[in-house]
Amino acid sequence: MINSLEKLDVMLEGFQGSNPFNIQKTCMFCGGTLVGILKVPSINPYIHVILDLCRCSKCGHGTISPLPSQDLLNHLYRCGSPSVIAVGWEKEVKVELTEPEAFAWNRIQKANSPGRCLEIGVGKGLLYSKMMAAGWKCRGIDPGDWGQSLPGVVRSIDQLATDEKFDCIIAFDVFEHMSNPMQQLTQIATHAEPGTELWLAFPRISSFRFAIQRLKWRMLRPIGHVHFFSRRSIEAMLSANGFELVSLRSTDLVGRRWPWSYVVQQILFFTVQLCGFGDQWIVQAKKSESRIGTRNNSCQ
């Protein structure tokens, strides 16, 4: 594992805060020991920095070490740094929902009347706009500039009124970017009421893709991605914050990258779900009155 933080100064890009990186030795989800399993280059194509991918010996959660502080990450996202955002991403035009977004959107429409929705990580706002068009009263959080033109979007959850509560909270492709997802969910939970629906999506480290691709795995993007979740780390995070797990599924890019026929796409997608080969978790949870236990109603 990396035992010096001095070589990471090149990644600060004008950041003036203290303790920008911290070497990780224990898992923030279960307290287990983190063991380095892979040396991983930063996604920034203009600098050469190698970090450690560590995995918890107890719950299997994956963490990049040294881990950037949240203040540093916020600074880099505001700057549009290539250390956290893929070069050229801001110019891409998003025309369709991601797999997790489409999955949740279909189920939210069927099961809920329009209410109050909070989306963390609005990005370019495709799902956010659909929710508003469907009659939801939406608020959004995004530290970057791309979502600021949308009504109700602010840069930090601290800008929400403390008494703002929501019926649905969505955080897709967010927690892998956060220094401390456990702490982030604790803050999010203050805006949830009993029965509030929570949707999350983030990388699955126990996936078949990671096992065979290793350094070429699409989700391995430090320091844009710094956390890679296991089933046990998800359960621990939800339980600690008073959320009950409703369903836990895995998904993949199957059906989106290649021009399969619709029937073949559906067969492949069903196979991914059935076998649990997907490299991205889709989590549905609900705020409960008590803080005990979790349950899972679907296969991984």
Side-chain angles (χ1 to χ4, degrees):
M1 296 174 63
I2 290 177
N3 55 19
S4 172
L5 302 180
E6 295 179 2
K7 63 183 72 175
L8 300 177
D9 287 351
V10 68
M11 304 186 77
L12 299 185
E13 299 188 38
F15 177 71
Q16 299 297 316
S18 59
N19 301 319
F21 285 94
N22 295 281
I23 293 174
Q24 300 299 292
K25 296 182 179 180
T26 59
C27 176
M28 66 180 63
F29 296 91
C30 72
T33 302
L34 292 178
V35 180
I37 62 171
L38 203 60
K39 297 290 185 182
V40 187
S42 160
I43 62 169
N44 191 328
Y46 308 114
I47 61 175
H48 181 68
V49 173
I50 303 295
L51 302 106
D52 287 301
L53 172 62
C54 302
R55 196 162 184 186
C56 176
S57 59
K58 185 176 179 181
C59 75
H61 185 85
T63 303
I64 292 297
S65 182
L67 183 68
S69 70
Q70 192 57 53
D71 286 341
L72 172 60
L73 289 173
N74 291 343
H75 169 78
L76 295 176
Y77 278 108
R78 284 194 296 269
C79 295
S81 168
S83 289
V84 293
I85 300 172
V87 174
W89 178 88
E90 70 282 357
K91 297 179 181 179
E92 295 178 2
V93 178
K94 185 178 180 182
V95 296
E96 63 180 358
L97 298 176
T98 63
E99 292 285 4
E101 287 173 339
F103 183 86
W105 170 241
N106 290 334
R107 280 150 185 80
I108 289 170
Q109 286 189 98
K110 292 176 182 177
N112 301 277
S113 299
R116 303 156 298 169
C117 179
L118 172 65
E119 184 178 3
I120 315 291
V122 171
K124 297 181 180 179
L126 186 55
L127 179 60
Y128 191 82
S129 298
K130 284 183 175 291
M131 296 289 286
M132 286 196 301
W136 287 79
K137 297 179 181 178
C138 294
R139 295 280 273 157
I141 311 293
D142 204 297
D145 293 333
W146 37 83
Q148 299 305 313
S149 62
L150 295 166
V153 176
V154 294
R155 293 187 185 274
S156 169
I157 195 170
D158 295 325
Q159 294 177 258
L160 297 180
T162 55
D163 60 350
E164 283 192 78
K165 306 293 183 181
F166 301 92
D167 305 299
C168 181
I169 299 176
I170 301 169
F172 286 149
D173 304 311
V174 170
F175 280 16
E176 65 267 39
H177 303 272
M178 310 300 295
S179 177
N180 192 327
M182 181 75 85
Q183 186 179 70
Q184 180 69 20
L185 186 57
T186 299
Q187 193 170 16
I188 289 172
T190 64
H191 297 283
E193 300 174 311
T196 293
E197 197 167 83
L198 175 69
W199 288 90
L200 307 172
F202 30 60
R204 180 188 178 206
I205 195 168
S206 56
S207 68
F208 184 64
R209 267 185 183 270
F210 174 64
I212 63 173
Q213 292 182 326
R214 306 294 283 177
L215 280 175
K216 294 183 179 180
W217 184 35
R218 68 184 181 115
M219 295 291 189
L220 201 55
R221 304 174 52 76
I223 56 175
H225 291 176
V226 294
H227 284 285
F228 311 89
F229 290 78
S230 69
R231 180 191 186 94
R232 292 181 67 183
S233 62
I234 293 169
E235 291 173 341
M237 180 173 66
L238 293 175
S239 179
N241 288 287
F243 285 95
E244 179 184 3
L245 184 62
V246 175
S247 70
L248 183 60
R249 294 170 170 85
S250 60
T251 186
D252 207 294
L253 290 178
V254 170
R256 288 187 176 266
R257 279 198 173 172
W258 299 285
W260 307 108
S261 69
Y262 176 78
V263 173
V264 174
Q265 285 182 11
Q266 296 307 304
I267 292 173
L268 288 173
F269 186 70
F270 175 77
T271 302
V272 167
Q273 295 296 320
L274 182 64
C275 300
F277 285 164
D279 67 348
Q280 188 174 30
W281 290 115
I282 303 177
V283 180
Q284 181 186 5
K286 185 169 289 188
K287 192 76 166 77
S288 59
E289 303 246 8
S290 64
R291 298 169 63 89
I292 56 172
T294 58
R295 62 187 171 88
N296 177 33
N297 293 336
S298 64
C299 65
Q300 297 187 64

